[in-house]
Amino acid sequence: MDTHVAELGIACEACHGPGEAHVDANRDPRRRYDLHASGAADGTVVNPALLDKERATHVCTRCHGVHRFKNHTDRERWSEHGFRYRPGDLLTDTVDIDQDGLDKFWPDDVVRVTGREGNGLFKTPCYLKGEMSCLTCHESHQKPGDPRTRAEWADDQLKPLMRTDHACLQCHDEYSDEETLAAHSHHPPGSSGSRCMNCHMPYTTTGLLKAIRSHTVTEPSAAETVEVGRPNACNLCHLDRTLAWTAEHMEDWYGTPQPQLDEDDRSIAASILWALRGDAGLRVIAANAFGRDSAREASGSEWMTPAITFLMTDPYHAVRYVAERSFRKQPESARLGLAYDCVAPFETRSRETLEIFEGWGARARPGRRSGPELLIDEDGQLMLDVFNRLVSERDLTPVTLNE
Ligand code: HEC
Ligand code: HEC
Ligand code: HEC
Ligand code: HEC
Ligand code: HEC
Ligand code: HEC
């Protein structure tokens, strides 16, 4: 290929389109002054904020999405002339935003890997029936007067307040009333269990060695976990509870019919099933959840040590890496010091974690929380037989979730 680059990196023209006409026109200071004074839009260049929701979202989806060429001719054209798409166009004029048969999606087509936020938004009711776009929550330039440091803004490039309920309340303002919200969420208003995104945009997308919020706004349910296999928002916080517990409360609170559940789903905490029996994609989501402060507060954390240390011996590097980060919040991690290295050879990295794992199970502690759902018997010891059975049932399907 004979390649030419106009601008390297994700620079101005990637989001604003070709700028030559804009630069030429604005050599004239009078034009600049008039535009500034009138506040009118400058028609010589694209401002994503002035595009409709679809075209605005397409600016970002060109990179933050999965799409394919419509046909062979288009592919050939691309290899000679590059992408035809320009900001302001409809991306769908040049490519199909289609994801059939790709393993980066859950069976109901919700994205499971970062970098495809566009595909996520295109399934969201707030986009489909409303005016939501990426720019509802994100801004590509930090605005003057923003009290956040540059680094705070740059981490996720969100508009002010967009980590809070405000992101949703700008359209669903009926829930700004605390009582209405508490009646809806069934959690006290100040609780993490009452924050919109914790139920509607849970951490079920993975990548960059962590989990991020799903960019498809969904409603949590136990059926989603049974039918699609995706961890539901309730059990991602209530890590110590069974799927049946969630199903019962969902029926109680929202009238959602309970799905058919097997014996394990009724008797063992959902997070333990994901960590021990799940495929590598589920295991990394569980490993991440064990380290989230809101989940640790809702679920207690002492009981997690065996599951987390076991994930630190996982065959997948990413699972081990994320599990270690969560383990650093456990008191036992002081004993391991900095010795653990998730990419060291198996023998080296396993010895100490296995010692902690076995030590935890054998060493009963008075007052340790017990219960069959946590695989801890009345003496405070790990129920190793059930633990080993679940591991022997682990889903070993190879998983590739590249970003
Ligand atoms: C990743 C996409 C992206 C890149 C790269 C980008 N912009 Fe923007 N730009 C936007 C969006 C989106 C807006 C709308 C406001 C916002 O989100 O900050 C915008 C708004 C603007 C505005 C209007 C500001 C206003 O207050 O109305 C100017 C001027 C601008 N960009 C200039 C630039 C320049 C110059 C560069 C390169 C140095 C650049 N942009 C790179 C996405 C981008
Ligand atoms: C309803 C608000 C909302 C909308 C709409 C939204 N985002 Fe986000 N986005 C967020 C929040 C909140 C985070 C931080 C998530 C977290 O803490 O993991 C985020 C994080 C991200 C990240 C960083 C992920 C990482 O690896 O840390 C990317 C990239 C991103 N969004 C892209 C997009 C794109 C592209 C669109 C449009 C297709 C979009 N977002 C629409 C709220 C939103
Ligand atoms: C030309 C490709 C391209 C375009 C267009 C683009 N992005 Fe990105 N974006 C990327 C890449 C690549 C990264 C990861 C960069 C990195 O990690 O250094 C990224 C990172 C991000 C992040 C994560 C920042 C962080 O580190 O927390 C957010 C949020 C984001 N983009 C939002 C958007 C939004 C919103 C738009 C549309 C206005 C957009 N991007 C347009 C390629 C693009
Ligand atoms: C830009 C406006 C806008 C924003 C921001 C927004 N929504 Fe929506 N949302 C809508 C519209 C419009 C609908 C469709 C309402 C209808 O069908 O009556 C909707 C529908 C929904 C639904 C119903 C889904 C269904 O299947 O019927 C849920 C749940 C939802 N939104 C949650 C949220 C959450 C949580 C947030 C914040 C992360 C949010 N919305 C942000 C506009 C928005
Ligand atoms: C972001 C974390 C989070 C999410 C998501 C969440 N909760 Fe909670 N939940 C909590 C916290 C924290 C408490 C403790 C009470 C309080 O201070 O709010 C709690 C309390 C409860 C309680 C009462 C105490 C108990 O343990 O019996 C029930 C029942 C409950 N949640 C069920 C659910 C269900 C069902 C869902 C999903 C629809 C859900 N929660 C989603 C954090 C969460
Ligand atoms: C504890 C979990 C939980 C929290 C927190 C939560 N929701 Fe919901 N939400 C649900 C469930 C479950 C449903 C579906 C059941 C139903 O229809 O009531 C739902 C349905 C919805 C709907 C569609 C039905 C309707 O009422 O129009 C919207 C919109 C919505 N939520 C918005 C929000 C907003 C906005 C927030 C934050 C201010 C929020 N939710 C916080 C669990 C939650």
Side-chain angles (χ1 to χ4, degrees):
M1 283 188 204
D2 176 20
T3 55
H4 300 266
V5 174
E7 240 189 347
L8 282 169
I10 307 157
C12 318
E13 295 193 334
C15 297
H16 290 284
E20 194 176 358
H22 178 65
V23 171
D24 283 347
N26 288 299
R27 290 224 157 88
D28 175 1
R30 258 177 323 161
R31 184 176 192 278
R32 295 206 299 272
Y33 182 79
D34 287 349
L35 273 176
H36 181 72
S38 70
D42 186 336
T44 57
V45 75
V46 171
N47 180 349
L50 301 177
L51 298 172
D52 60 47
K53 62 159 184 194
E54 200 175 9
R55 288 170 201 268
T57 303
H58 286 189
V59 169
C60 316
T61 306
R62 172 161 75 101
C63 301
H64 292 273
V66 183
H67 30 77
R68 316 180 205 234
F69 292 107
K70 288 179 185 289
N71 52 49
H72 186 66
T73 323
D74 279 3
R75 175 179 285 279
E76 295 262 281
R77 223 194 102 96
W78 165 76
S79 69
E80 269 180 56
H81 305 289
F83 286 108
R84 262 193 298 154
Y85 168 83
R86 294 288 176 270
D89 296 350
L90 285 175
L91 189 58
T92 41
D93 285 346
T94 37
V95 290
D96 287 328
I97 300 178
D98 113 45
Q99 56 203 45
D100 282 357
L102 290 175
D103 58 1
K104 289 147 194 81
F105 296 83
W106 299 97
D108 62 351
D109 280 352
V110 168
V111 190
R112 62 186 298 187
V113 193
T114 50
R116 280 92 183 163
E117 292 76 22
N119 300 71
L121 202 66
F122 295 144
K123 300 249 174 306
T124 291
C126 320
Y127 168 84
L128 292 168
K129 299 186 198 161
E131 293 306 312
M132 189 189 263
S133 78
C134 310
L135 305 181
T136 304
C137 302
H138 292 281
E139 61 184 12
S140 301
H141 308 278
Q142 189 179 19
K143 299 294 169 284
D146 185 338
R148 295 173 297 175
T149 63
R150 180 53 58 94
E152 276 172 312
W153 164 79
D155 179 10
D156 296 333
Q157 301 177 4
L158 289 161
K159 291 180 175 172
L161 298 180
M162 288 301 143
R163 283 187 203 279
T164 72
D165 289 357
H166 190 71
C168 314
L169 298 178
Q170 42 183 325
C171 297
H172 299 285
D173 63 347
E174 67 275 23
Y175 295 113
S176 345
D177 175 54
E178 286 204 340
E179 269 177 40
T180 313
L181 174 56
H184 174 71
S185 72
H186 299 267
H187 287 73
S191 163
S192 62
S194 226
R195 301 280 67 79
C196 317
M197 292 198 205
N198 286 343
C199 277
H200 290 288
M201 291 176 70
Y203 287 84
T204 53
T205 311
T206 49
L208 302 172
L209 296 170
K210 60 181 180 177
I212 71 150
R213 289 193 181 284
S214 167
H215 273 59
T216 304
V217 174
T218 49
E219 291 168 356
S221 75
E224 148 189 28
T225 303
V226 179
E227 285 155 24
V228 178
R230 181 174 49 239
N232 65 76
C234 313
N235 286 120
L236 275 175
C237 254
H238 294 285
L239 297 165
D240 56 337
R241 302 292 188 171
T242 63
L243 192 54
W245 178 88
T246 294
E248 280 158 26
H249 285 288
M250 294 294 299
E251 184 173 47
D252 242 27
W253 292 352
Y254 304 101
T256 320
Q258 296 197 31
Q260 279 285 336
L261 298 178
D262 67 21
E263 189 45 39
D264 285 345
D265 282 336
R266 266 178 281 148
S267 55
I268 302 173
S271 69
I272 292 186
L273 296 178
W274 298 328
L276 303 188
R277 212 176 54 177
D279 71 16
L282 277 182
R283 300 203 293 275
V284 78
I285 292 177
N288 190 77
F290 286 135
R292 278 188 53 230
D293 292 337
S294 56
R296 297 167 66 85
E297 277 158 30
S299 317
S301 50
E302 202 213 359
W303 60 271
M304 294 174 184
T305 296
I308 304 180
T309 38
F310 193 72
L311 288 173
M312 285 164 72
T313 67
D314 200 277
Y316 283 78
H317 297 51
V319 177
R320 299 198 297 271
Y321 180 91
V322 175
E324 182 196 354
R325 196 169 49 214
S326 297
F327 180 66
R328 295 289 172 198
K329 297 194 170 174
Q330 299 293 96
E332 292 86 354
S333 80
R335 267 181 50 216
L336 194 58
L338 296 174
Y340 178 82
D341 175 0
C342 72
V343 291
F346 179 78
E347 294 72 27
T348 334
R349 71 177 138 80
S350 294
R351 204 178 313 120
E352 287 194 276
T353 48
L354 279 176
E355 249 170 53
I356 288 180
F357 174 83
E358 283 162 7
W360 193 99
R363 208 178 47 255
R365 280 232 194 101
R368 176 180 280 172
R369 185 170 156 198
S370 64
E373 74 282 7
L374 302 177
L375 310 191
I376 300 171
D377 67 18
E378 282 161 7
D379 301 329
Q381 292 191 356
L382 191 63
M383 293 158 66
L384 212 61
D385 48 338
V386 191
F387 195 100
N388 287 336
R389 170 180 64 83
L390 293 174
V391 172
S392 74
E393 289 169 11
R394 176 172 273 189
D395 181 349
L396 298 173
T397 319
V399 170
T400 316
L401 295 173
N402 56 327
E403 287 147 30

